[in-house]
Structures are given as structure tokens and as C-alpha cells.
Amino acid sequence: MKLTYQVFFVWVGSAIATAPLLFPLPSLAAKNTTEIAQIAKSVTVLIQGSDTGSGVLIRQDGASYTVLTARHVVDMQGSFNVVTASGKRYPVEAQSIRKLPGLDLALFKFSSPEPQRVAELGNSNTLQEGLPLYVTGFPGQGSTINALTYNFTEGQLTAYASQPQEGGYALVYTNKTLPGMSGGPVFNQEAQLVGIHGAADGQSQTLEKLNARVFMKTGFNLGIPINTFLLATNASTSQTQTVALAGKPRLERGRSPKLKLQSAHNVTSASTSVSSLPQTSAPNIERSGSGEYFIAALQQYTNGDLRAALMSCTRALQLNPQFAGAYSLRGSIRYVQQDYPGALADFTQAVQWDKNLATAYLGRGLTQSALSNPQAALADYTASIQLSSDALAYYNRGV
């Protein structure tokens, strides 16, 4: 039996502006998934240039529209174009690109003679772990994309850290994403914009046994809360035109281990660190909550520091014994360490606390396979398929 370990993070973009922005007052009525998908599609845009990415329309000023995206989407030299939901392509006004120091966000403008819908901004402070989230964007392989490949994905919030990763990343969710979706919007159940997607976990482990391979991913992704953007741009909070930031802000800027980035057009290219972004002071993790430890563990796991990742996961679970995502991540760590009984126990705890966590069933199926329990593995792969229709689960079940 041969065990190999591979990890990669897929990122694209960052930046922000300094002028106050006005936004519509959010509605309170929850919408069904079809309604959310329709609204999301109308405000999500494809960004093409030396790299490709996604963005979201957030403001209209006559024929001028403002797009919010991730910084690396527009960080490269050269010109950019925006493709809207109608399929029309418009040039980005290069002089309008604004980047916010320390955050992986960017704003830019383009002009359109046709009216475009803009997103309704929500209050990310109200997000709670376990709530549904929706991420949209345009997966693709570089600036040669000529057709829209819009994707709408469902998932749930796993963690919301008050001390974010570098670049402002504090939201962790289970939505399946692909290269090119970085910079795309994250919506809540009211179809309100509550975050910007930026990092997708493409982490995998491979188990080779009798010439058959099975694969597993942790399935966690990262986004920047919309309130981080609003606070950074000093957005107005008038009662009639803007989103009021209710309650104490969850954001406490901090520095965490470096994230690895990859461009959308070449997911096998060498990773690029976000250390080029302006840094902020380091958080005191001893005073952090379970979300901070979970995000730290995810990054340590990605960097191959399994011992530190295991300790961070364990600390997160001490603070929150019902944290399904932390059990699932610790199960992945223990699997890589070939502690299969420990991994089995953790994945079992994960599905006990969250019966809809498809990646935990996938991980438990892989562990059962390693323990030579094929019938149990089949059952877990089937459960994962029923929840997410993940190609990896189908493949593993076939093995």
C-alpha cells in the first residue's frame, strides 16, 4: 500500500477603493434556491484579461457600473474585459481600478448602454455557522474563454473567524468551487451579497492498493466577509440607502500563515504567496475562538505541518465539541498520518454532528477502505453521493 499526499490552493485577486459607497437597504424575506440562483446569475460577471476570474456588480451611476472582485484577478499587467449575464463584453476602465491595502479585494468600473442589475448587500455580521451559502462564478482555463461557463454552487458556512487569514479571509464554507471562480460573490438565503470568494481547497490524498486509487478532499473554501469591505471603504450607513452594520464588528485584522495562490488559467503552475499584500499585526491565537483555530489548522494542513494542524483542530474541538468541520479536518489529518482508527472516529463524530457534511462521509469511506471494510466504505461513498454527487465519491465507489 502506498500513500501520497498532495495539496494546492486556488486563488485569484484582491483590492478596494477609498471613497464611500452607497447601497440599497436589504430586504428580509428569505428566497428559495431557484430565486437566489436567478438573482445571482444576473449580478455575477466574468472578468477576462491576462488571467480570468469572476466578480459581482455592486453599484450603478448612470451608465457606469462598479464591480467588486478579488485582487489577483486584476493584479496582472494588461487590459481587462467584463462579460455580463447577457453575454455582452465591455472594457474595464483601467484608471478606475482601486485596491485596498491588506485585503484581497479590488474595485473597478465599466460603462454599459444596457441596464445591469446590481447586487443587494447583506450584513455578514449576522452569518452563523451552519447556515446555507451560495457561491457563483465562471470556471475556466484562461483568457481564451469565449463562452460563459457560469456555475452556481450550494454549501454551508463552516467557520467565521474574527481574526482572518492574510488578505481578510474569514469565511470558511463547503461550496464546491473551481479555478476562475475567485472574486465571485457569496450570497445568503435572502440573495444578498455577504462575501467575496477567493480560495478553493483542492487538497487531495491518494491511497494506492492493488493498483486501485481512491481520493479525498477536505472540501473547505475561503471568502472575505462583505462587512470587511464596507468597513475598509468607510461605506456610509444612512438608514435609507446603505447597509447598517449591526452589532460589534466581527473583524479583527490579523496575520496568519501564508496562503498559496494559483492562477485560474494554469492550476498546475507554481504557487504564489500573498505576502506581497500589506501585513497587519499578528493575532493572539490563545484568545481566539474555535473558528480561528480551525482556519489555522486548515492552513497548517495545507502547508504540510500535520502536527501543528492536529493540535489546532484539537483546540478548536475543545472550545466547540460539536464542530463537525473540525472533526472532519482532523480525520483527514489522521488519515494522512495513517492513524486510521483515529480518522474513523473523527469522521464518525463529524457526521454525527452534521449529517449533511458530504466530505466527512467521503473521508470515512476512504478510511473504511484503508481498514479493509469495503461494505462500510460503499455505504459511506453512497451517502456522500446522495448529498453532493461529487465525482470523487463516484470514482471511489467504483474502485
Side-chain angles (χ1 to χ4, degrees), residues 347 360-370 373 376-378 380-381 396:
F347 286 126
Y361 287 103
L362 181 62
R364 192 169 70 172
L366 181 55
T367 305
Q368 293 283 20
S369 178
N373 298 323
L378 281 172
D380 281 330
Y381 289 142
N396 289 352

Side-chain angles (χ1 to χ4, degrees), residues 254-315:
R255 180 178 180 181
S256 55
K258 292 182 176 64
L259 294 170
K260 295 182 179 178
L261 313 181
Q262 292 184 321
S263 60
H265 68 274
N266 186 359
V267 298
T268 61
S269 63
S271 297
T272 303
S273 171
V274 298
S275 57
S276 58
L277 294 176
Q279 303 302 324
T280 51
S281 60
N284 182 353
I285 197 167
E286 292 302 323
R287 294 184 298 186
S288 299
S290 60
E292 280 71 36
Y293 280 101
F294 176 75
I295 292 179
L298 184 61
Q299 184 56 50
Q300 290 157 349
Y301 178 47
T302 303
N303 291 339
D305 191 349
L306 300 182
R307 182 175 179 275
L310 186 66
M311 292 175 62
S312 294
C313 267
T314 299
R315 182 59 178 143

Side-chain angles (χ1 to χ4, degrees), residues 129-145:
E129 290 79 0
L131 287 177
L133 289 179
Y134 308 88
V135 179
T136 63
F138 295 86
Q141 294 295 314
S143 58
T144 58
I145 299 175

Side-chain angles (χ1 to χ4, degrees), residues 24 51 53 62 82 100 131 141 150 160 180 193 208 220 229 246 251 257 260 263 269 353 355 380 387:
D51 207 342
V82 169
L100 188 68
L131 287 177
Q141 294 295 314
Y150 171 82
Y160 188 169
L193 180 66
E208 297 182 10
F220 298 113
F229 164 70
L251 175 67
K260 295 182 179 178
S263 60
S269 63
W353 293 114
K355 298 186 184 304
D380 281 330
L387 289 169

Side-chain angles (χ1 to χ4, degrees), residues 69-146:
T69 185
R71 178 172 185 163
H72 289 86
V73 173
V74 293
D75 234 5
M76 299 292 185
Q77 296 295 323
S79 60
F80 297 90
N81 292 297
V82 169
V83 182
T84 63
S86 66
K88 298 291 183 63
R89 180 178 281 99
Y90 303 96
V92 171
E93 299 170 9
Q95 71 279 8
S96 72
I97 298 176
R98 296 290 182 268
K99 303 173 184 180
L100 188 68
L103 294 178
D104 193 18
L105 294 170
L107 289 168
F108 64 78
K109 295 180 180 181
F110 72 95
S111 296
S112 168
E114 298 181 354
Q116 308 289 338
R117 184 170 186 168
V118 298
E120 183 178 290
L121 270 69
N123 185 350
S124 56
N125 284 347
T126 63
L127 293 176
Q128 298 294 328
E129 290 79 0
L131 287 177
L133 289 179
Y134 308 88
V135 179
T136 63
F138 295 86
Q141 294 295 314
S143 58
T144 58
I145 299 175
N146 295 314

Side-chain angles (χ1 to χ4, degrees), residues 117-334:
R117 184 170 186 168
V118 298
E120 183 178 290
L121 270 69
N123 185 350
S124 56
N125 284 347
T126 63
L127 293 176
Q128 298 294 328
E129 290 79 0
L131 287 177
L133 289 179
Y134 308 88
V135 179
T136 63
F138 295 86
Q141 294 295 314
S143 58
T144 58
I145 299 175
N146 295 314
L148 299 179
T149 54
Y150 171 82
N151 267 243
F152 174 85
T153 67
E154 299 180 64
Q156 66 181 34
L157 185 66
T158 300
Y160 188 169
S162 61
Q163 299 183 44
Q165 293 276 358
E166 289 178 330
Y169 287 90
L171 302 177
V172 183
Y173 36 86
T174 61
N175 305 62
K176 291 190 294 184
T177 59
L178 293 168
M181 292 181 70
S182 288
V186 180
F187 297 97
N188 63 12
Q189 288 179 290
E190 286 75 46
Q192 297 168 338
L193 180 66
V194 292
I196 295 296
H197 171 68
D201 176 22
Q203 193 160 347
S204 67
Q205 293 89 45
T206 306
L207 173 69
E208 297 182 10
K209 187 176 182 181
L210 299 178
N211 297 319
R213 297 183 180 184
V214 284
F215 298 88
M216 178 178 65
K217 290 195 301 183
T218 65
F220 298 113
N221 302 287
L222 295 168
I224 302 173
I226 197 64
N227 283 27
T228 301
F229 164 70
L230 294 175
L231 290 170
T233 55
N234 298 314
S236 172
T237 55
S238 68
Q239 294 182 351
T240 57
Q241 291 182 292
T242 67
V243 178
L245 305 184
K248 181 180 180 181
R250 298 183 63 156
L251 175 67
E252 297 175 16
R253 294 188 186 176
R255 180 178 180 181
S256 55
K258 292 182 176 64
L259 294 170
K260 295 182 179 178
L261 313 181
Q262 292 184 321
S263 60
H265 68 274
N266 186 359
V267 298
T268 61
S269 63
S271 297
T272 303
S273 171
V274 298
S275 57
S276 58
L277 294 176
Q279 303 302 324
T280 51
S281 60
N284 182 353
I285 197 167
E286 292 302 323
R287 294 184 298 186
S288 299
S290 60
E292 280 71 36
Y293 280 101
F294 176 75
I295 292 179
L298 184 61
Q299 184 56 50
Q300 290 157 349
Y301 178 47
T302 303
N303 291 339
D305 191 349
L306 300 182
R307 182 175 179 275
L310 186 66
M311 292 175 62
S312 294
C313 267
T314 299
R315 182 59 178 143
L317 290 168
Q318 289 172 344
L319 293 171
N320 181 5
Q322 300 180 15
F323 197 158
Y327 278 116
S328 184
L329 180 55
R330 194 170 71 173
S332 297
I333 296 166
R334 286 178 164 167

